[in-house]
Coordinates of all heavy atoms in Angstrom, one line a residue:
W1 N 13.2 -13.5 -5.2 CA 13.3 -12.1 -5.9 C 11.9 -11.7 -6.4 O 11.4 -10.7 -6.2 CB 14.4 -12.0 -6.9 CG 15.7 -12.0 -6.3 CD1 16.2 -11.8 -5.0 CD2 17.0 -12.2 -7.0 NE1 17.5 -11.8 -4.9 CE2 18.1 -11.9 -6.1 CE3 17.3 -12.4 -8.4 CZ2 19.4 -12.0 -6.4 CZ3 18.6 -12.4 -8.8 CH2 19.7 -12.3 -7.8
L2 N 11.3 -12.7 -7.1 CA 10.1 -12.4 -7.7 C 9.0 -12.1 -6.7 O 8.2 -11.1 -6.7 CB 9.6 -13.5 -8.7 CG 10.2 -13.4 -10.1 CD1 9.8 -14.8 -10.9 CD2 9.7 -12.2 -10.9
H3 N 9.0 -12.9 -5.7 CA 8.0 -12.7 -4.5 C 8.3 -11.4 -3.9 O 7.5 -10.7 -3.5 CB 8.2 -13.8 -3.6 CG 7.2 -13.6 -2.4 ND1 7.7 -13.1 -1.2 CD2 6.0 -14.1 -2.2 CE1 6.7 -13.1 -0.3 NE2 5.6 -13.6 -0.9
G4 N 9.7 -11.1 -3.7 CA 10.0 -9.9 -3.0 C 9.6 -8.7 -3.9 O 9.1 -7.7 -3.4
L5 N 9.7 -8.9 -5.2 CA 9.3 -7.6 -6.0 C 7.8 -7.4 -5.9 O 7.3 -6.3 -5.8 CB 9.7 -8.0 -7.4 CG 9.2 -7.0 -8.5 CD1 10.0 -5.7 -8.2 CD2 9.6 -7.4 -9.9
H6 N 6.9 -8.5 -5.9 CA 5.5 -8.4 -5.8 C 5.2 -7.9 -4.4 O 4.3 -7.0 -4.2 CB 4.8 -9.6 -6.1 CG 4.9 -10.0 -7.5 ND1 5.7 -10.9 -8.0 CD2 4.0 -9.6 -8.4 CE1 5.4 -11.0 -9.3 NE2 4.4 -10.2 -9.7
L7 N 5.9 -8.3 -3.3 CA 5.6 -7.8 -2.1 C 6.0 -6.4 -1.9 O 5.3 -5.7 -1.1 CB 6.3 -8.8 -1.0 CG 5.8 -8.5 0.4 CD1 5.5 -10.0 1.1 CD2 6.8 -7.8 1.4
F8 N 7.0 -5.9 -2.5 CA 7.3 -4.5 -2.4 C 6.3 -3.6 -3.0 O 5.8 -2.7 -2.5 CB 8.7 -4.2 -3.4 CG 9.0 -2.8 -3.4 CD1 9.7 -2.2 -2.4 CD2 8.8 -2.1 -4.6 CE1 10.0 -0.8 -2.4 CE2 9.1 -0.8 -4.7 CZ 9.7 -0.1 -3.6
G9 N 5.7 -4.2 -4.1 CA 4.6 -3.6 -4.6 C 3.3 -3.4 -3.6 O 2.5 -2.4 -3.6
G10 N 3.2 -4.5 -2.9 CA 2.2 -4.6 -2.0 C 2.4 -3.5 -0.8 O 1.4 -2.9 -0.4
V11 N 3.6 -3.4 -0.4 CA 4.1 -2.5 0.7 C 3.6 -0.9 0.1 O 3.1 -0.2 0.8 CB 5.6 -2.6 1.0 CG1 5.9 -1.3 1.9 CG2 5.7 -3.8 1.7
V12 N 4.0 -0.8 -1.1 CA 3.7 0.6 -1.7 C 2.2 0.9 -1.7 O 1.8 1.9 -1.4 CB 4.3 0.7 -3.2 CG1 3.8 1.9 -3.9 CG2 5.9 0.6 -3.2
S13 N 1.5 -0.1 -2.0 CA -0.1 0.1 -2.0 C -0.5 0.2 -0.6 O -1.4 1.1 -0.3 CB -0.7 -1.2 -2.7 OG -0.5 -2.3 -1.9
M14 N 0.1 -0.4 0.3 CA -0.2 -0.2 1.7 C 0.0 1.2 2.2 O -0.8 1.8 2.9 CB 0.4 -1.2 2.6 CG 0.0 -2.7 2.6 SD 0.9 -3.8 3.5 CE 0.4 -3.5 5.0
I15 N 1.2 1.7 1.9 CA 1.5 3.0 2.2 C 0.6 4.1 1.5 O 0.2 5.0 2.3 CB 2.9 3.4 1.7 CG1 4.0 2.5 2.6 CG2 3.2 4.9 1.9 CD1 5.3 2.6 2.1
Y16 N 0.1 3.8 0.3 CA -0.8 4.6 -0.3 C -2.2 4.7 0.4 O -2.8 5.8 0.7 CB -0.9 4.1 -1.8 CG -2.0 4.9 -2.6 CD1 -1.9 6.2 -3.1 CD2 -3.3 4.2 -2.8 CE1 -3.0 6.9 -3.7 CE2 -4.4 4.9 -3.4 CZ -4.1 6.3 -3.9 OH -5.0 6.9 -4.7
V17 N -2.6 3.4 0.7 CA -3.9 3.3 1.5 C -3.8 4.0 2.8 O -4.7 4.7 3.3 CB -4.3 1.9 1.7 CG1 -5.3 1.7 2.7 CG2 -4.7 1.2 0.3
L18 N -2.7 3.8 3.5 CA -2.5 4.5 4.8 C -2.4 5.9 4.8 O -3.0 6.6 5.6 CB -1.1 3.9 5.4 CG -0.8 4.4 6.8 CD1 -1.9 3.8 7.8 CD2 0.6 3.9 7.3
M19 N -2.0 6.6 3.7 CA -1.9 7.9 3.5 C -3.4 8.4 3.4 O -3.8 9.5 3.9 CB -1.0 8.4 2.4 CG 0.4 8.2 2.6 SD 1.4 8.5 1.0 CE 1.1 10.2 1.0
K20 N -4.1 7.8 2.6 CA -5.6 8.1 2.4 C -6.3 8.0 3.8 O -7.2 8.7 4.1 CB -6.2 7.4 1.3 CG -5.6 7.4 0.0 CD -6.3 6.7 -1.2 CE -7.7 7.3 -1.4 NZ -8.4 6.5 -2.5
A21 N -5.9 6.9 4.5 CA -6.6 6.8 5.9 C -6.3 7.8 6.8 O -7.2 8.2 7.5 CB -6.2 5.3 6.4
L22 N -5.1 8.3 6.7 CA -4.8 9.4 7.6 C -5.5 10.8 7.2 O -5.8 11.6 8.2 CB -3.2 9.7 7.5 CG -2.4 8.5 8.2 CD1 -0.9 8.8 7.8 CD2 -2.6 8.3 9.6
K23 N -6.1 10.8 6.1 CA -6.8 11.9 5.6 C -8.3 11.7 5.9 O -9.1 12.5 5.5 CB -6.6 12.2 4.2 CG -5.1 12.5 3.9 CD -4.9 12.8 2.4 CE -3.5 13.3 2.0 NZ -3.4 13.5 0.6
G24 N -8.6 10.6 6.5 CA -10.0 10.3 6.8 C -10.8 9.7 5.8 O -12.1 9.9 5.7
F25 N -10.2 9.1 4.8 CA -10.9 8.7 3.5 C -11.7 7.4 3.9 O -12.9 7.3 3.2 CB -9.9 8.4 2.5 CG -10.5 8.0 1.1 CD1 -11.1 9.1 0.3 CD2 -10.7 6.8 0.7 CE1 -11.6 8.8 -0.9 CE2 -11.3 6.5 -0.4 CZ -11.8 7.5 -1.3
Y26 N -11.2 6.6 4.8 CA -11.9 5.3 4.8 C -12.8 5.2 6.1 O -12.6 5.8 7.2 CB -10.9 4.1 4.9 CG -10.2 4.0 3.7 CD1 -8.8 4.3 3.7 CD2 -10.7 3.5 2.4 CE1 -8.0 4.2 2.5 CE2 -9.9 3.4 1.3 CZ -8.7 3.8 1.3 OH -7.9 3.6 0.1
N27 N -13.9 4.5 6.0 CA -14.7 4.2 7.1 C -15.5 2.9 6.9 O -15.1 2.2 5.9 CB -15.8 5.3 7.4 CG -16.5 5.7 6.2 OD1 -17.2 4.8 5.5 ND2 -16.5 7.0 5.7
S28 N -16.5 2.4 7.7 CA -17.2 1.2 7.6 C -17.9 1.0 6.3 O -18.2 0.0 5.7 CB -18.1 0.9 8.6 OG -19.1 2.0 8.9

């Protein structure tokens, strides 16, 4: 459960990064 909780936080951060990526925020 503890691992799942931290991994859920990781998924949330991935979604946040992905949303910024879709707006063209990231590059090399």
Side-chain angles (χ1 to χ4, degrees):
W1 282 348
L2 276 176
H3 177 267
L5 179 63
H6 286 95
L7 194 129
F8 175 78
V11 169
V12 171
S13 67
M14 290 174 73
I15 293 174
Y16 174 75
V17 168
L18 185 60
M19 291 176 63
K20 294 182 70 174
L22 293 175
K23 295 178 181 179
F25 186 80
Y26 297 110
N27 54 53
S28 60

